[in-house]
Amino acid sequence: MVECPKDYKISRLIAKKLMGVILPEDEEKLNAWLEEDTKNKDLYRRILEVENFSVRDLYAKRLDVEHTWDVLEERLTGQRRCRFLFSFWQIGVAASVILLVGIGLYWGFNKKPKVQQVEMAAHVEMGGAKAILVTSRGDEIVLQDSSVQLITLGGGMVAKNDGVQVSYKENEGSGKENMLEYNTIRVPRGGEYKLFLSDNTEVFLNSDSEIRFPVKFGKEKRDVFLRGEAFFVVTKDASRPFVVNANDKMSVEVLGTQFNLQAYPDDAFVETTLNEGAVRVFNGKQGVKLRPDEQAVYDEGKFTVRKVDARSYSAWKEGRFMLLNHSLENIMTRLARWYNIDIFWENPEVKEYHFSGELARYEDFTEILRMLELATRVHFEIKDRTVFVRKIEQ
């Protein structure tokens, strides 16, 4: 049994508070704990960040906190690794809130892991700002350099790169050429980059993604072509709709809005999540309109629209992986793109283990694996740049 009675009692109080079943005398104890230390308040604030997870709320009203706590505490026996924040995999998202609170209290502020379970044979570095610009003439320019680069382009345009982002502007006094010239920005695995298009639209490019776009937009429309994942903040222009053509499967049309689009070639689906404004997602004769906090998934030739917390799907651009009942296969695919690693599944059935929680995108890779190991009976071993995943037998 893990010896941390005070912390687990506080965990139970916080869980009851989040579920709305706390008694007045317990709330007094919780408030007293919050006043003891600023670290306590900081932890509580971090826990509240997941309060509005829609999936968790589906379980909250029917959760038996006392019973669920006993079950989780029993399963924690002998587990002495991990820190805030990661959650359990089978009992439900609401139940997992209790576990993440307990782990956060005990390991996040008070203890350091005593046992390192992840076997390492190589250091895996986190991703960073890097990309390649391919001009209309086929020239390839590395954009990850920290020095400022001014790149002269066709149509009287210039691209300015500072090592983190690249922006397209028109040279003053340049000729007004109407012929469209296209550039491509490729972000490799383990990379990210920010782009300002000629109309000042912002594009945040995720790992293993590329976007093809006109150096300067024409008078009638603004078409770009995406493979991978990007978050768009589109400059409004009623006379020229902005259209993202996603992986040759579907398109998203907007006037001015913010949305996330995931369209990796090796995924069967294309996913559009709207943060602000309005968009029309279409493929051939099919089409749907989205409102904020709605998501359209195009899979097997049809659209499905669902209500979501849009911020969780674009949290990657702020350095966070938000997990809402994600499968281990989905999680490892995302980690593989960001850390530029390969995954080998020794036991394919573990792909279907599901998790909810939050991971720091700029976290040390082995720390993330330790969190996953605590949450279920899975073991990871790193050899060169390959992560071997195997099930731990009972």
Side-chain angles (χ1 to χ4, degrees):
M1 182 71 68
V2 178
E3 298 296 332
C4 45
K6 178 182 177 181
D7 293 331
Y8 274 77
K9 288 178 181 178
I10 294 297
S11 302
R12 190 183 306 211
L13 294 180
I14 296 176
K16 289 181 177 180
K17 176 69 173 179
L18 293 180
M19 303 308 166
V21 296
I22 192 169
L23 298 174
E25 56 266 30
D26 287 337
E27 188 152 21
E28 290 181 7
K29 296 177 183 178
L30 176 59
N31 290 334
W33 174 79
L34 289 172
E35 295 300 324
E36 285 180 5
D37 195 322
T38 56
K39 288 184 177 180
N40 296 346
K41 289 183 178 180
D42 182 55
L43 173 61
Y44 188 61
R45 176 189 58 78
R46 291 162 65 187
I47 294 167
L48 289 181
E49 290 178 356
V50 301
E51 183 179 16
N52 294 320
F53 280 178
S54 58
V55 178
R56 193 209 74 188
D57 292 341
L58 294 175
Y59 294 88
K61 293 183 180 179
R62 62 176 181 268
L63 174 67
D64 183 340
V65 175
E66 297 295 338
H67 172 70
T68 303
W69 180 261
D70 292 338
V71 174
L72 290 172
E73 190 174 40
E74 180 181 349
R75 295 194 180 194
L76 271 173
T77 301
Q79 304 295 329
R80 294 179 177 273
R81 57 195 184 276
C82 193
R83 66 172 186 79
F84 190 94
L85 85 70
F86 206 79
S87 59
F88 217 58
W89 84 98
Q90 283 180 329
I91 297 179
V93 180
S96 71
V97 171
I98 304 174
L99 179 63
L100 72 86
V101 173
I103 291 174
L105 283 165
Y106 190 56
W107 295 117
F109 288 97
N110 302 320
K111 301 286 184 180
K112 296 295 183 181
K114 294 182 179 180
V115 180
Q116 293 187 359
Q117 297 293 330
V118 179
E119 298 179 20
M120 288 189 58
H123 178 63
V124 177
E125 296 181 354
M126 68 186 70
K130 49 188 173 183
I132 295 175
L133 167 65
V134 183
T135 70
S136 59
R137 296 183 296 273
D139 299 326
E140 296 190 2
I141 303 169
V142 177
L143 298 179
Q144 68 189 85
D145 299 334
S146 58
S147 59
V148 174
Q149 296 170 280
L150 293 177
I151 306 165
T152 302
L153 304 164
M157 301 294 292
V158 63
K160 180 180 179 181
N161 173 59
D162 64 7
V164 177
Q165 64 184 33
V166 61
S167 56
Y168 281 68
K169 298 292 183 182
E170 189 169 16
N171 275 325
E172 295 183 6
S174 63
K176 303 292 183 179
E177 299 181 25
N178 294 322
M179 184 177 65
L180 293 181
E181 292 194 19
Y182 284 85
N183 280 187
T184 299
I185 289 183
R186 295 173 182 162
V187 179
R189 286 161 61 100
E192 63 182 359
Y193 223 76
K194 186 176 180 180
L195 165 67
F196 284 90
L197 298 172
S198 61
D199 66 343
N200 213 35
T201 288
E202 298 177 60
V203 185
F204 300 81
L205 287 163
N206 205 348
S207 303
D208 197 15
S209 302
E210 73 172 51
I211 186 170
R212 181 173 177 265
F213 55 94
V215 171
K216 180 172 63 175
F217 288 114
K219 296 180 179 180
E220 297 181 356
K221 61 180 180 178
R222 296 176 289 169
D223 269 304
V224 301
F225 303 85
L226 175 70
R227 289 178 180 268
E229 184 171 19
F231 183 83
F232 293 84
V233 181
V234 179
T235 300
K236 189 173 183 178
D237 186 342
S239 64
R240 294 186 301 173
F242 190 95
V243 178
V244 184
N245 301 281
N247 198 25
D248 300 327
K249 291 183 179 179
M250 54 168 264
S251 299
V252 182
E253 182 180 72
V254 302
L255 293 177
T257 191
Q258 298 185 23
F259 64 98
N260 194 78
L261 180 57
Q262 182 176 329
Y264 283 102
D266 52 351
D267 287 342
F269 63 90
V270 177
E271 188 178 84
T272 307
T273 310
L274 182 62
N275 293 60
E276 294 182 12
V279 300
R280 185 172 71 93
V281 186
F282 60 95
N283 176 277
K285 297 180 180 179
Q286 299 182 66
V288 295
K289 290 184 179 180
L290 296 183
R291 296 179 179 180
D293 286 325
E294 287 186 342
Q295 180 183 83
V297 179
Y298 183 75
D299 191 10
E300 296 183 351
K302 63 180 181 179
F303 286 103
T304 302
V305 178
R306 58 192 180 190
K307 191 75 173 177
V308 298
D309 180 356
R311 294 173 301 176
S312 66
Y313 288 87
S314 55
W316 59 267
K317 68 183 181 64
E318 299 165 357
R320 296 177 296 148
F321 292 113
M322 303 297 290
L323 310 175
L324 298 175
N325 199 28
H326 283 61
S327 69
L328 183 58
E329 182 178 25
N330 177 275
I331 295 169
M332 296 307 295
T333 297
R334 296 168 72 180
L335 295 178
R337 289 169 180 152
W338 178 239
Y339 290 97
N340 189 21
I341 56 174
D342 296 314
I343 310 298
F344 182 82
W345 301 92
E346 295 187 18
N347 307 99
E349 64 267 25
V350 303
K351 294 180 180 181
E352 297 306 315
Y353 290 174
H354 281 66
F355 304 81
S356 296
E358 176 182 336
L359 300 173
R361 198 164 185 248
Y362 300 102
E363 183 66 89
D364 180 88
F365 183 61
T366 57
E367 288 297 315
I368 292 178
L369 296 187
R370 290 188 186 104
M371 295 180 198
L372 292 167
E373 285 195 338
L374 177 64
T376 188
R377 298 188 64 79
V378 169
H379 178 69
F380 300 94
E381 183 178 356
I382 305 174
K383 294 181 179 179
D384 296 325
R385 302 200 68 85
T386 299
V387 177
F388 295 82
V389 188
R390 71 171 178 265
K391 180 180 179 181
I392 299 176
E393 300 298 337
Q394 297 288 347

